[in-house]
Amino acid sequence: MIEFVAHNLAPIMFGSLIVFLLLGYPVAFSLAANGLLFFIIGVELAPLSDDINLFWPLLGALPDRFFGGVMSNDTLLAIPFFTFMGLILERSGMAEDLLDTIGQLFGPLRGGLAYAVIFVGALLAATTGVVAASVIAMGLISLPIMLRYGYDRRLASGVIVASGTLAQIIPPSLVLIVLADQLGRSVGDMYSGALVPALVLTGLYVLYIFAMTMIYPNAAPALPKEARTLGHGVTSLIFAAAAAVVLAYLATTFLEGQVEQGAAIWGATIAILAVYFVAVLNKAFKLPLLSYLTQQVIIVLIPPLALIFLVLGTIFLGIATPTEGGAMGAVGALVLAFGKRKLNLSLMTQAMESTTKLSAFVLFILIGARVFSLTFYGVNGHIWVEELLTAVPGGQTGFLIVVNILVFFLAFFLDFFELAFIIVPLLAPAADSLGIDLIFFGVLLGLNMQTSFMHPPFGFALFYLRSVAARVPYLDRVTGKRMEPVTTGQIYRGAVPFVCIQLVMVGLTILFPQMVMRYKSEAPVQDPSTIQLQIPNFGGEGGLPPLGGASGVGNGGQQNNPLGLPPLGMPPLGAPPADGAAAPVPGATQQPPAAAPAPSMGLPPLDFNNALGSGDQAPAAPPAAQQPAPASPAPPASSDRSAPIDLSQPPSFQ
C-alpha cells in the first residue's frame, strides 16, 4: 500500500486539493497547506520511488520563489492599476451617463435597451476590466428601466450578466494579465490576440437579442415616445460619424509616411477629437450644427473612448507596457472623475480599500500556488499531467477539446483566479509540447473561463446581480406601478443561453485560430533563402585586408594594411619569395633560399612548396656551416601548383 502511494503521489495530491476546495477552505490556504503536507509525505516516501525528488533542503527555495517570482513580478502590478481605474469610473457616474444616453439612442428599436446594455458593457470592459464593477453598475441602472418598460426578466438578467462578463476577455482584462504571466508570454500579445474574438463574442450577443426580438417581440419592446427625453436627431449623428470616418481616412493617409506604426490609430484619434471639439462648441455657444441627441452622445461617449486609447492604444503602439498603460488609465480615471466633480476623499478611500483587498486576494493565491507547485513538480506531477493529456487521441484538436471540457466543468466550482493559478501551469507544458501557440491557448482558456462567472449555481456575476436586484415587490418611482421582484431562478435561466453562446465562441476559435493568430501578422517573416550576406570591402580586391602580408599592394603602390597588423611571416601561395628571387620551376633542383630577415612577430615563414605533391617528410633546414642536404624529389612535370596540400605531413620551415 505504501509503495502504491509513493508511485502515485502526484494524482493523490491533485485529488486531495480538489477535496479541500470542495470542503470550502480558502483557496490560498488550501494550496499552501496541501503543498506542505505532501512535501512531508514525499520526503518520507522518496526512498520508495524514483519519481519523488523531494528532500528537506528544498524548502529553502521557497523564499526565492516568493520574492523573486511573485513580489518582484512587474506584470502583476497592472492588476491594482486596472482595478483602481475600474472602481473610480464605476463610482464616478460614467456608467450611468453611458447607459442613459445610449439607451435613448437605441430606444426606438425593439430590444434597444438590451443593445445599449451590450454596447455599454463592452465599453466598460475596455475601460475597467473588472467584472464586478460592470455587473453591479448595469444592474443598478439598467435593470429597473428594463423592467419598467416590460422586458422579460430572464432576458434582462441574462443580458446584464453576460455584458458584465465581457470584462473577462476584452482588453485590458485582469484574466488576460494573469494568463500571460502564468504562460510566460507578453501581455501585449495576449491583448492583441484576444481583441478579435472579444468583438465576435459581442456580435453574437447582439445576434441573440435580435433573434429574440424577432421570435418574441414582447420580450424586449421599444421605448415609448414619452421616455425618449433626448428627442430625435439621428440624421446629424450619421453625418457626424461619416465626417469622422472621412477625416480619419485623410489623417491616416497623411500620417502613413510620418510615423513608424499605428497611423490608423493616430488618424482615428484626430478625427474623434475634432468631432468632440465641434460638439463642445455646439453646446457652449448653442449652435445649430448638431441635434441635442447627437451632442449628448458625442460628449458622453468620447471620454471613455479617449481613456480606451490612453490604455490600449499606447500598449498596441508600443509606447507603454501594460503596467504603464494601467498607471496612465488610473490617472485618466481620476481626471474624468474630477471633471464630473465626483472626485473626493470618500471616493478615493473606497476605491483604494477595494483595490487593496483584491490585490491581496490575488497575491495570497499566487503565493499558495508557489508552495503547491514546488511539491507537485517535486513528485513529477507535471510529467504525469503532460503524459496524461498528450496521450489524448486527435492530436492538437483532441487535446484542445478535452482541456476545454475539463476547464468548463472545473469552472462550476473554481473561479478564474483559481483556475489560472492551479490548472493553467499544469496544462501549459502539454500544450507547448504539442506545438500549440501559447497565446492562442491562453485566449481560448480566457473565453472558457468567462463561463465561470455565469455558471449556475456558483457564478460570481449571478451573485453580483442578485445583490442589487429587487428581492421584494416595490413601486416604480417613475410610473408608480407595483413591480414584482426578480427571482434567483429567473437570473439563472437567463444566464444559460449566454453560457451556450460562449461555448459556441470557444468552438469557433478552435475552428478559426487566425482570429487569435493575427497578432503574429504584424511582424512580417522573411524567407531565409532570400537573405543575402554582404562582406564589407575594406579597400582590397578580395574584400578583406591581409593580416600584414605583402599581397595587398595595389592601390597606388601602397600596401593594403588598414588595420595596422604586423605580418605573420607566412607568404601566400604562389607569391615570389621574400628576397625577390624567381619562383622555383617545376622539375628543377631546388636550393634552400638564403636566410631571410626574421618576421616582425618572431615566427618563421612557412614554406608549403616542399609539401606539394609529396607524401614524404621534408628535411629540416641545415645550419649555415653545413652543406645543404639534397632537395626533396621534385613533383612531376604534370603536377599543378594548385594541387591540394597534403596535410597529413607537417610543413618544413626554412
Side-chain angles (χ1 to χ4, degrees), residues 218-576:
N218 295 328
L223 282 178
K225 289 185 178 180
E226 60 271 14
R228 304 172 198 168
T229 57
L230 296 183
H232 54 84
V234 181
T235 305
S236 64
L237 181 61
I238 295 175
F239 277 108
V245 171
V246 172
L247 182 58
Y249 174 76
L250 296 176
T252 301
T253 305
F254 174 76
L255 292 174
E256 279 182 350
Q258 309 293 327
V259 296
E260 296 181 0
Q261 61 176 351
I265 297 178
W266 288 114
T269 303
I270 293 173
I272 290 174
L273 290 178
V275 172
Y276 184 73
F277 181 71
V278 171
V280 171
L281 288 180
N282 189 81
K283 181 179 181 179
F285 298 100
K286 298 181 180 180
L287 302 176
L289 299 176
L290 302 172
S291 66
Y292 183 69
L293 175 63
T294 302
Q295 170 188 298
Q296 287 300 111
V297 168
I298 292 175
I299 292 177
V300 170
L301 195 60
I302 296 303
L305 290 177
L307 190 62
I308 292 173
F309 170 75
L310 185 65
V311 177
L312 297 181
T314 53
I315 294 174
F316 291 152
L317 288 174
I319 300 175
T321 65
T323 302
E324 296 166 347
M328 290 191 296
V331 174
L334 291 174
V335 172
L336 289 181
F338 179 78
K340 296 179 69 66
R341 299 180 181 180
K342 296 293 183 67
L343 187 63
N344 51 49
L345 184 59
S346 176
L347 174 64
M348 292 290 294
T349 302
Q350 295 175 10
M352 293 176 69
E353 181 180 354
S354 300
T355 302
T356 304
K357 288 180 179 179
L358 180 61
S359 302
F361 169 74
V362 174
L363 188 65
F364 271 95
I365 291 181
L366 190 53
I367 289 176
R370 292 287 179 173
V371 179
F372 177 82
S373 64
L374 177 69
T375 304
F376 196 70
Y377 278 64
V379 297
N380 285 333
H382 59 295
I383 298 177
W384 168 69
V385 174
E386 183 175 347
E387 292 177 351
L388 184 67
L389 293 176
T390 53
V392 173
Q396 293 184 356
T397 305
F399 169 81
L400 291 175
I401 293 174
V402 170
V403 165
N404 279 280
I405 293 175
L406 173 66
V407 171
F408 176 76
F409 282 105
L410 287 177
F412 276 94
F413 313 102
L414 306 175
D415 70 352
F416 79 93
F417 277 125
E418 297 160 1
L419 290 171
F421 290 137
I422 300 173
I423 304 300
V424 173
L426 303 180
L427 301 178
D432 196 26
S433 65
L434 288 173
I436 299 174
D437 185 87
L438 291 185
I439 294 292
F440 168 77
F441 189 62
V443 172
L444 194 63
L445 290 182
L447 288 168
N448 200 331
M449 289 180 189
Q450 189 176 354
T451 61
S452 69
F453 275 89
M454 299 174 61
H455 274 156
F458 302 116
F460 282 92
L462 306 179
F463 295 153
Y464 297 147
L465 183 59
R466 174 70 279 174
S467 66
V468 298
R471 296 176 180 269
V472 295
Y474 66 96
L475 293 178
D476 184 74
R477 61 183 179 86
V478 175
T479 62
K481 295 181 179 180
R482 184 177 185 271
M483 306 297 297
E484 295 297 325
V486 178
T487 65
T488 304
Q490 290 171 340
I491 295 176
Y492 285 176
R493 287 194 294 271
V496 170
F498 291 94
V499 172
C500 297
I501 292 175
Q502 291 172 349
L503 295 180
V504 170
M505 188 63 220
V506 172
L508 290 176
T509 307
I510 296 176
L511 291 176
F512 304 101
Q514 285 305 315
M515 286 192 295
V516 178
M517 300 303 292
R518 56 170 291 278
Y519 83 94
K520 285 189 173 182
S521 63
E522 299 172 0
V525 180
Q526 186 177 3
D527 185 2
S529 62
T530 63
I531 299 176
Q532 296 182 356
L533 298 178
Q534 295 184 356
I535 300 175
N537 192 346
F538 289 92
E541 296 179 359
L544 292 176
L547 298 178
S551 62
V553 179
N555 300 328
Q558 297 179 358
Q559 183 175 349
N560 182 12
N561 187 13
L563 299 180
L565 296 176
L568 294 178
M570 185 174 66
L573 294 176

Side-chain angles (χ1 to χ4, degrees), residues 190-217:
M190 192 72 75
Y191 281 176
S192 180
L195 192 58
V196 172
L199 296 177
V200 173
L201 180 61
T202 306
L204 291 179
Y205 288 169
V206 172
L207 287 178
Y208 173 72
I209 298 300
F210 178 76
M212 288 295 295
T213 56
M214 293 293 102
I215 299 173
Y216 305 105

